[in-house]
Amino acid sequence: MADTQLDDALIRQLHVTVRAFTKGVNEVMKPLGLYSSEWAVLNFVANHDSFPQSDIAAALEIEGAAISKTLSKMEQKGLIARTSSQDKREKRISLTEKGRELYPLAAQAAGNHRSAVLAGLSRDDRQQMLSFIQSMLDHIHSD
């Protein structure tokens, strides 16, 4: 297989794998009333309470408009609260009581899904894969 074909196959496989994983997360989160994007934010905010909205977007590499839409949905569901900080333009995001109650259930569902997906990989395999993917991301960010 030529390098171009190999590279195309690799990128296609990464894309397909991420989409399949996300679909699985959506399926396990559906009974909890969440989507994978909301789970990502819920998980982040649970571990970084009262974090600026712009910093959440940056940490999760989500476009500003997309994070705003996700946060609006989560706010409507009563999972998060947005409060102004000293800089009135900056909104800080924290979990509501409902969000704190939902978090352990969602974390368990996500953990079960993650364990099932990674079950066939050794710890060394996972570490090597993480290293490869991080290297790719570093190259993307350096462009």
Side-chain angles (χ1 to χ4, degrees):
M1 185 181 296
D3 282 352
T4 300
Q5 290 176 314
L6 176 63
D7 293 349
D8 286 347
L10 174 61
I11 297 301
R12 184 176 47 257
Q13 190 61 50
L14 281 169
H15 178 74
V16 168
T17 301
V18 169
R19 287 183 54 90
F21 182 82
T22 300
K23 182 179 178 185
V25 172
N26 281 332
E27 288 173 10
V28 301
M29 291 297 159
K30 189 175 185 176
L32 302 174
L34 292 174
Y35 290 99
S36 62
S37 58
E38 294 167 330
W39 160 244
V41 172
L42 183 74
N43 187 42
F44 186 88
V45 175
N47 291 291
H48 303 88
D49 196 36
S50 191
F51 220 69
Q53 179 174 326
S54 59
D55 290 355
I56 295 170
L60 298 177
E61 295 201 27
I62 300 173
E63 299 288 327
I67 192 73
S68 186
K69 184 177 177 182
T70 298
L71 291 172
S72 291
K73 288 179 183 177
M74 293 177 74
E75 193 171 31
Q76 289 170 357
K77 293 177 181 184
L79 301 175
I80 57 123
R82 296 188 221 202
T83 55
S84 295
S85 64
Q86 292 176 349
D87 178 352
K88 299 295 181 196
R89 297 169 295 176
E90 180 181 84
K91 298 291 185 190
R92 297 187 79 77
I93 310 302
S94 57
L95 295 183
T96 61
E97 183 63 32
K98 184 176 179 180
R100 284 190 293 276
E101 290 172 3
L102 182 62
Y103 175 73
L105 300 172
Q108 181 68 43
N112 290 344
H113 175 62
R114 181 179 55 245
S115 293
V117 168
L118 298 175
L121 299 174
S122 70
R123 186 177 199 301
D124 287 343
D125 290 341
R126 294 190 319 266
Q127 186 61 51
Q128 190 172 24
M129 185 182 291
L130 177 61
S131 178
F132 292 152
I133 292 170
Q134 185 60 55
S135 180
M136 287 178 66
L137 188 58
D138 290 347
H139 285 280
I140 290 168
H141 286 164
S142 69
D143 287 343

